[in-house]
Amino acid sequence: MPLLYNKVCVVTGGAGSIGLASARLFLGEGAKVMLVDLREADLERATRALDIPNADWIAADVGDAAATRGYIERAVERFGPIDVLFSNAGNQGPVVPVTEYPEDAFDAQIRVHVRGAFLACKYGLPRMRDGGSLIITSSVVGAMGAPGVVAYVTAKHAQVGLMRSVAKEAARRRIRVNTLHPGPVDNEFQARIEENIGKMAGGIDATKMLNDAIPLHRHASPEEIARSALYLASDLSSFVTCSTLMVDGGMRG
């Protein structure tokens, strides 16, 4: 039987490369998937790419409580109680030293990454089936530091603390809660970060620098991250909770 047969999955950041790759993989394993992202045009393009009746979408600002309640209720109305909640939405800011970091940019990243994941837990858990899975996309920098990206690093560490607290609370319902920690991924999101790192560091090739720091000497594909999300979403990880799953090619080690 497919790993997610008839399971209801919600994927925030669903129009991005990791979200879309995960949705495609979940659907291939028999799931019903609600994609959530900020812009309708991006979601329409994503669902056209999937071209599967068991996929639907709703545009929502994940940092807004009313919008979060809205996407949770839309998923339940469309497909039924939620089995897998994948809090994957993210944004990025400038790459500059902390002494120059804009306060509004700091707040904007905390709002999406941390408040967005918190709201997903707060309003999603009551609408989940017992025995489900809640996944939060953190990052390799959620387990280490990096210069120039103080807001992103802070947010990704905070998501781990959120996960550890919620995992203890949700365990009584057999709901597993884990964070997923991608290293550098070959996508547009990461390419913009690396372009800005290169500028801050005086024109270096940031992509090469990162590949040199990764023992496997390359970036991940979105599909490789999606396969790790599938592991956490499915019963393959039935005894895994309160865990940080590193998918970083050995970068942190």
Side-chain angles (χ1 to χ4, degrees):
M1 183 178 291
L3 290 172
L4 296 177
Y5 181 71
N6 232 17
K7 300 288 188 182
V8 176
C9 304
V10 176
V11 181
T12 72
S17 66
I18 293 173
L20 185 56
S22 299
R24 183 177 287 112
L25 193 55
F26 290 3
L27 288 161
E29 291 291 340
K32 302 170 184 176
V33 177
M34 180 64 66
L35 297 175
V36 182
D37 217 303
L38 189 59
R39 289 178 289 272
E40 290 187 2
D42 293 341
L43 286 160
E44 288 174 347
R45 183 167 56 251
T47 49
R48 280 198 304 272
L50 293 171
D51 192 28
I52 296 175
N54 279 345
D56 203 349
W57 62 267
I58 180 171
D61 173 1
V62 299
D64 181 83
T68 300
R69 289 194 298 268
Y71 78 69
I72 293 295
E73 291 308 314
R74 170 64 179 152
V76 173
E77 289 168 7
R78 176 73 169 82
F79 295 127
I82 298 165
D83 297 288
V84 178
L85 178 51
F86 187 14
S87 178
N88 173 66
N91 62 349
Q92 57 187 209
V95 179
V96 293
V98 63
T99 53
E100 301 170 22
Y101 209 92
E103 292 166 22
D104 58 345
F106 185 93
D107 292 344
Q109 287 187 81
I110 296 298
R111 184 177 185 276
V112 172
H113 294 275
V114 185
R115 179 179 168 85
F118 158 72
L119 292 173
C121 295
K122 178 175 181 177
Y123 294 110
L125 276 169
R127 305 296 271 155
M128 290 183 70
R129 296 184 201 271
D130 290 358
S133 174
L134 198 159
I135 308 161
I136 300 170
T137 300
S138 180
S139 166
V140 64
V141 301
M144 56 185 286
V149 285
V150 63
Y152 190 73
V153 172
T154 301
K156 292 307 181 183
H157 276 76
Q159 287 177 322
V160 175
L162 173 69
M163 174 274 289
R164 287 176 170 155
S165 179
V166 176
K168 301 296 187 181
E169 297 180 12
R172 64 181 179 270
R173 294 179 52 202
R174 295 177 292 105
I175 294 174
R176 295 168 289 110
V177 186
N178 298 285
T179 45
L180 180 61
H181 295 254
V185 178
D186 185 10
N187 61 13
E188 184 181 345
F189 186 94
Q190 180 68 25
R192 288 196 300 268
I193 293 174
E194 290 169 10
E195 180 181 356
N196 290 330
I197 290 172
K199 290 176 182 176
M200 187 186 83
I204 67 166
D205 183 340
T207 301
K208 181 180 184 305
M209 178 192 72
L210 288 172
N211 282 341
D212 288 344
I214 298 168
L216 292 183
H217 297 292
R218 64 176 179 84
H219 285 36
S221 70
E223 290 74 22
E224 287 175 306
I225 308 303
R227 288 196 288 272
S228 296
L230 175 63
Y231 165 72
L232 291 176
S234 73
D235 286 343
L236 291 174
S237 60
S238 58
F239 202 57
V240 178
T241 194
C242 204
S243 174
T244 56
L245 177 58
M246 309 302 296
V247 193
D248 64 348
M251 183 177 182
R252 175 174 174 259

